[in-house]
Amino acid sequence: MATLNINPGTIIKFLEKTTIEILEGDVEIINQESSPSTNSYAVDFNAVDCHLTASSDGFAFGDGDYTMEFLSYIDSESGDWVQSGYHVFLETRSYSNGPGFVLYLHPEGSQRTLRLYDQAVGVVADIPEALSVGVWNHIAVTRSSGIVRFFVNGLLKAETSNYSSYNSQDLLINAGYDNRNSNAVGKMSNLRIVKGQALYTSDFSVPSLPLTSQGINGTVVLLALQNKTLEEGLTAVNNPTIVKMS
């Protein structure tokens, strides 16, 4: 067996979309990309104001545990969302039926900052340079006993305390409550929102098959598109299309 002598500080990128850094006596994964199943489908938000909506009391997490996860593919970092504001992934803020949150990508210069913001405390956390453009990224946000954790492609990127109570029952996917044009040309799939459970509290392997609600109590919305159709409870606005993932 051959042995490689690698100096600390060396960064190695593997063909299997994983980057590691050699530390003093340790190996640390610093980035990896998701490889979704080619048998899966995605919603292609291919025009301004293409989005999905849903309504359920399951989105009213209160101050309890939750999980939000999905696969996202941003086609380009150019476009209106970079120039004029932000790209919303998930939005439950409402000024009529209670406080909510917004999970979005906020451009700051050349950075693409993943941000969770809520109506109670403002910015919960920022993750600069979290996502790569032109590849699939798995994003997960969980809260367990008041600790919110942010994961990108299965890696824990940040954690912070947050006890905000969310009461809104309306969900926007790929659009903002106060600006339906707050979206990007891109795709989304394998969206799962779970009320009452934090499915991830440490690094994990990103699921390669379409997500399921089987055996997971509290699943509110699931966008798996296994039959190339939207799941019950989701409404399409301005004709987003369903395409095969690749």
Tab-separated table of all heavy atoms in Angstrom, residues 64-93:
chain	number	residue	atom	x	y	z
A	64	GLY	N	-41.362	25.586	19.158
A	64	GLY	CA	-40.882	24.214	19.238
A	64	GLY	C	-39.858	23.846	18.194
A	64	GLY	O	-39.373	24.691	17.421
A	65	ASP	N	-39.555	22.569	18.124
A	65	ASP	CA	-38.568	22.036	17.197
A	65	ASP	C	-39.135	22.012	15.775
A	65	ASP	O	-40.352	21.932	15.571
A	65	ASP	CB	-38.154	20.621	17.603
A	65	ASP	CG	-37.462	20.573	18.950
A	65	ASP	OD1	-37.173	21.650	19.510
A	65	ASP	OD2	-37.225	19.454	19.456
A	66	TYR	N	-38.232	22.022	14.796
A	66	TYR	CA	-38.657	21.921	13.396
A	66	TYR	C	-37.477	21.519	12.521
A	66	TYR	O	-36.316	21.571	12.936
A	66	TYR	CB	-39.259	23.236	12.887
A	66	TYR	CG	-38.307	24.415	12.868
A	66	TYR	CD1	-37.328	24.557	11.883
A	66	TYR	CD2	-38.391	25.423	13.831
A	66	TYR	CE1	-36.459	25.638	11.862
A	66	TYR	CE2	-37.530	26.506	13.821
A	66	TYR	CZ	-36.568	26.616	12.829
A	66	TYR	OH	-35.710	27.686	12.820
A	67	THR	N	-37.808	21.123	11.304
A	67	THR	CA	-36.815	20.844	10.262
A	67	THR	C	-37.320	21.425	8.955
A	67	THR	O	-38.491	21.257	8.610
A	67	THR	CB	-36.593	19.328	10.074
A	67	THR	OG1	-36.083	18.772	11.285
A	67	THR	CG2	-35.605	19.057	8.936
A	68	MET	N	-36.443	22.100	8.234
A	68	MET	CA	-36.708	22.550	6.861
A	68	MET	C	-35.519	22.105	6.023
A	68	MET	O	-34.374	22.416	6.361
A	68	MET	CB	-36.858	24.068	6.776
A	68	MET	CG	-37.942	24.642	7.679
A	68	MET	SD	-38.088	26.445	7.507
A	68	MET	CE	-36.573	26.996	8.336
A	69	GLU	N	-35.781	21.375	4.953
A	69	GLU	CA	-34.672	20.954	4.092
A	69	GLU	C	-35.133	20.878	2.646
A	69	GLU	O	-36.306	20.624	2.360
A	69	GLU	CB	-34.116	19.607	4.542
A	69	GLU	CG	-35.067	18.441	4.439
A	69	GLU	CD	-34.408	17.119	4.824
A	69	GLU	OE1	-33.274	16.868	4.357
A	69	GLU	OE2	-35.026	16.345	5.577
A	70	PHE	N	-34.190	21.086	1.732
A	70	PHE	CA	-34.512	21.040	0.309
A	70	PHE	C	-33.227	21.036	-0.503
A	70	PHE	O	-32.139	21.353	0.002
A	70	PHE	CB	-35.382	22.233	-0.105
A	70	PHE	CG	-34.795	23.582	0.218
A	70	PHE	CD1	-34.013	24.268	-0.699
A	70	PHE	CD2	-35.037	24.166	1.452
A	70	PHE	CE1	-33.471	25.493	-0.404
A	70	PHE	CE2	-34.497	25.417	1.765
A	70	PHE	CZ	-33.721	26.077	0.834
A	71	LEU	N	-33.362	20.663	-1.769
A	71	LEU	CA	-32.284	20.786	-2.745
A	71	LEU	C	-32.537	22.014	-3.606
A	71	LEU	O	-33.662	22.235	-4.070
A	71	LEU	CB	-32.217	19.545	-3.626
A	71	LEU	CG	-31.580	18.294	-3.014
A	71	LEU	CD1	-31.900	17.071	-3.869
A	71	LEU	CD2	-30.070	18.455	-2.885
A	72	SER	N	-31.502	22.797	-3.835
A	72	SER	CA	-31.625	24.015	-4.632
A	72	SER	C	-30.534	24.059	-5.693
A	72	SER	O	-29.389	23.685	-5.429
A	72	SER	CB	-31.518	25.254	-3.741
A	72	SER	OG	-31.496	26.444	-4.517
A	73	TYR	N	-30.913	24.515	-6.874
A	73	TYR	CA	-29.962	24.698	-7.980
A	73	TYR	C	-30.186	26.094	-8.529
A	73	TYR	O	-31.235	26.384	-9.104
A	73	TYR	CB	-30.210	23.657	-9.071
A	73	TYR	CG	-29.189	23.654	-10.194
A	73	TYR	CD1	-28.219	22.660	-10.278
A	73	TYR	CD2	-29.205	24.627	-11.193
A	73	TYR	CE1	-27.291	22.642	-11.301
A	73	TYR	CE2	-28.287	24.619	-12.217
A	73	TYR	CZ	-27.326	23.623	-12.271
A	73	TYR	OH	-26.404	23.615	-13.294
A	74	ILE	N	-29.225	26.982	-8.313
A	74	ILE	CA	-29.306	28.345	-8.836
A	74	ILE	C	-28.540	28.384	-10.147
A	74	ILE	O	-27.342	28.109	-10.191
A	74	ILE	CB	-28.749	29.360	-7.831
A	74	ILE	CG1	-29.586	29.330	-6.551
A	74	ILE	CG2	-28.735	30.765	-8.421
A	74	ILE	CD1	-29.054	30.205	-5.454
A	75	ASP	N	-29.256	28.725	-11.231
A	75	ASP	CA	-28.663	28.649	-12.558
A	75	ASP	C	-27.537	29.647	-12.755
A	75	ASP	O	-26.554	29.369	-13.423
A	75	ASP	CB	-29.735	28.893	-13.631
A	75	ASP	CG	-30.726	27.745	-13.693
A	75	ASP	OD1	-30.382	26.645	-13.258
A	75	ASP	OD2	-31.850	27.958	-14.165
A	76	SER	N	-27.693	30.849	-12.184
A	76	SER	CA	-26.716	31.905	-12.440
A	76	SER	C	-26.737	32.897	-11.299
A	76	SER	O	-27.765	33.099	-10.651
A	76	SER	CB	-27.027	32.624	-13.758
A	76	SER	OG	-26.189	33.745	-13.922
A	77	GLU	N	-25.594	33.523	-11.032
A	77	GLU	CA	-25.560	34.562	-10.014
A	77	GLU	C	-25.790	35.946	-10.614
A	77	GLU	O	-25.680	36.953	-9.945
A	77	GLU	CB	-24.232	34.542	-9.266
A	77	GLU	CG	-23.008	34.726	-10.129
A	77	GLU	CD	-21.734	34.581	-9.309
A	77	GLU	OE1	-21.741	34.965	-8.125
A	77	GLU	OE2	-20.732	34.094	-9.849
A	78	SER	N	-26.118	36.008	-11.886
A	78	SER	CA	-26.504	37.268	-12.490
A	78	SER	C	-28.013	37.351	-12.511
A	78	SER	O	-28.712	36.358	-12.360
A	78	SER	CB	-25.966	37.371	-13.921
A	78	SER	OG	-26.522	36.363	-14.731
A	79	GLY	N	-28.551	38.553	-12.673
A	79	GLY	CA	-29.997	38.686	-12.750
A	79	GLY	C	-30.531	39.699	-11.760
A	79	GLY	O	-29.806	40.293	-10.969
A	80	ASP	N	-31.856	39.880	-11.776
A	80	ASP	CA	-32.482	40.916	-10.978
A	80	ASP	C	-32.275	40.718	-9.486
A	80	ASP	O	-32.156	41.675	-8.736
A	80	ASP	CB	-33.985	40.970	-11.273
A	80	ASP	CG	-34.284	41.475	-12.680
A	80	ASP	OD1	-33.374	42.086	-13.268
A	80	ASP	OD2	-35.392	41.253	-13.167
A	81	TRP	N	-32.246	39.456	-9.032
A	81	TRP	CA	-32.154	39.230	-7.588
A	81	TRP	C	-30.831	39.725	-7.030
A	81	TRP	O	-30.753	40.171	-5.894
A	81	TRP	CB	-32.370	37.762	-7.260
A	81	TRP	CG	-31.227	36.860	-7.625
A	81	TRP	CD1	-30.974	36.310	-8.831
A	81	TRP	CD2	-30.182	36.423	-6.774
A	81	TRP	NE1	-29.842	35.550	-8.804
A	81	TRP	CE2	-29.340	35.588	-7.554
A	81	TRP	CE3	-29.875	36.631	-5.439
A	81	TRP	CZ2	-28.210	34.989	-7.021
A	81	TRP	CZ3	-28.752	36.024	-4.919
A	81	TRP	CH2	-27.931	35.215	-5.698
A	82	VAL	N	-29.755	39.672	-7.839
A	82	VAL	CA	-28.469	40.184	-7.374
A	82	VAL	C	-28.495	41.705	-7.327
A	82	VAL	O	-28.003	42.336	-6.405
A	82	VAL	CB	-27.333	39.708	-8.299
A	82	VAL	CG1	-26.033	40.425	-7.957
A	82	VAL	CG2	-27.141	38.205	-8.162
A	83	GLN	N	-29.126	42.308	-8.315
A	83	GLN	CA	-29.114	43.754	-8.429
A	83	GLN	C	-30.068	44.421	-7.438
A	83	GLN	O	-29.778	45.486	-6.912
A	83	GLN	CB	-29.493	44.169	-9.858
A	83	GLN	CG	-28.583	43.584	-10.929
A	83	GLN	CD	-27.139	44.003	-10.761
A	83	GLN	OE1	-26.861	45.120	-10.359
A	83	GLN	NE2	-26.215	43.101	-11.047
A	84	SER	N	-31.212	43.804	-7.182
A	84	SER	CA	-32.263	44.519	-6.468
A	84	SER	C	-32.536	44.028	-5.053
A	84	SER	O	-33.298	44.647	-4.331
A	84	SER	CB	-33.574	44.427	-7.270
A	84	SER	OG	-33.969	43.075	-7.389
A	85	GLY	N	-31.948	42.934	-4.633
A	85	GLY	CA	-32.272	42.509	-3.286
A	85	GLY	C	-31.839	41.103	-2.977
A	85	GLY	O	-30.658	40.825	-2.901
A	86	TYR	N	-32.808	40.179	-2.828
A	86	TYR	CA	-32.479	38.869	-2.318
A	86	TYR	C	-33.322	37.801	-2.991
A	86	TYR	O	-34.332	38.066	-3.617
A	86	TYR	CB	-32.693	38.831	-0.809
A	86	TYR	CG	-34.006	39.421	-0.352
A	86	TYR	CD1	-35.166	38.659	-0.351
A	86	TYR	CD2	-34.094	40.748	0.073
A	86	TYR	CE1	-36.376	39.177	0.056
A	86	TYR	CE2	-35.306	41.282	0.484
A	86	TYR	CZ	-36.443	40.495	0.485
A	86	TYR	OH	-37.635	41.021	0.889
A	87	HIS	N	-32.888	36.569	-2.822
A	87	HIS	CA	-33.591	35.405	-3.365
A	87	HIS	C	-34.203	34.629	-2.211
A	87	HIS	O	-33.494	34.088	-1.369
A	87	HIS	CB	-32.610	34.531	-4.142
A	87	HIS	CG	-33.142	33.164	-4.461
A	87	HIS	ND1	-32.323	32.085	-4.630
A	87	HIS	CD2	-34.402	32.701	-4.628
A	87	HIS	CE1	-33.047	31.010	-4.887
A	87	HIS	NE2	-34.314	31.350	-4.886
A	88	VAL	N	-35.515	34.572	-2.173
A	88	VAL	CA	-36.219	33.896	-1.094
A	88	VAL	C	-36.393	32.415	-1.433
A	88	VAL	O	-36.879	32.072	-2.507
A	88	VAL	CB	-37.600	34.538	-0.844
A	88	VAL	CG1	-38.382	33.727	0.182
A	88	VAL	CG2	-37.441	35.975	-0.366
A	89	PHE	N	-36.005	31.562	-0.511
A	89	PHE	CA	-36.289	30.137	-0.631
A	89	PHE	C	-37.646	29.827	-0.005
A	89	PHE	O	-38.534	29.289	-0.657
A	89	PHE	CB	-35.203	29.297	0.046
A	89	PHE	CG	-33.863	29.361	-0.623
A	89	PHE	CD1	-32.766	29.900	0.026
A	89	PHE	CD2	-33.692	28.862	-1.909
A	89	PHE	CE1	-31.517	29.949	-0.586
A	89	PHE	CE2	-32.450	28.907	-2.540
A	89	PHE	CZ	-31.374	29.449	-1.869
A	90	LEU	N	-37.782	30.137	1.286
A	90	LEU	CA	-39.006	29.847	2.033
A	90	LEU	C	-39.417	31.084	2.822
A	90	LEU	O	-38.575	31.720	3.462
A	90	LEU	CB	-38.791	28.677	2.992
A	90	LEU	CG	-38.304	27.353	2.380
A	90	LEU	CD1	-37.990	26.354	3.485
A	90	LEU	CD2	-39.342	26.789	1.422
A	91	GLU	N	-40.697	31.380	2.826
A	91	GLU	CA	-41.208	32.598	3.466
A	91	GLU	C	-42.528	32.285	4.164
A	91	GLU	O	-43.471	31.763	3.549
A	91	GLU	CB	-41.418	33.670	2.394
A	91	GLU	CG	-42.252	34.873	2.808
A	91	GLU	CD	-41.468	35.920	3.553
A	91	GLU	OE1	-41.293	35.732	4.780
A	91	GLU	OE2	-41.053	36.915	2.924
A	92	THR	N	-42.607	32.558	5.479
A	92	THR	CA	-43.882	32.421	6.187
A	92	THR	C	-44.288	33.715	6.884
A	92	THR	O	-45.305	33.732	7.594
A	92	THR	CB	-43.837	31.289	7.250
A	92	THR	OG1	-42.962	31.660	8.318
A	92	THR	CG2	-43.407	29.965	6.634
A	93	ARG	N	-43.516	34.782	6.706
A	93	ARG	CA	-43.912	36.045	7.334
A	93	ARG	C	-45.279	36.466	6.813
A	93	ARG	O	-45.578	36.354	5.631
A	93	ARG	CB	-42.902	37.137	7.043
A	93	ARG	CG	-41.552	36.962	7.726
A	93	ARG	CD	-40.630	38.108	7.401
A	93	ARG	NE	-40.438	38.234	5.954
A	93	ARG	CZ	-39.885	39.289	5.362
A	93	ARG	NH1	-39.469	40.309	6.082
A	93	ARG	NH2	-39.736	39.314	4.048
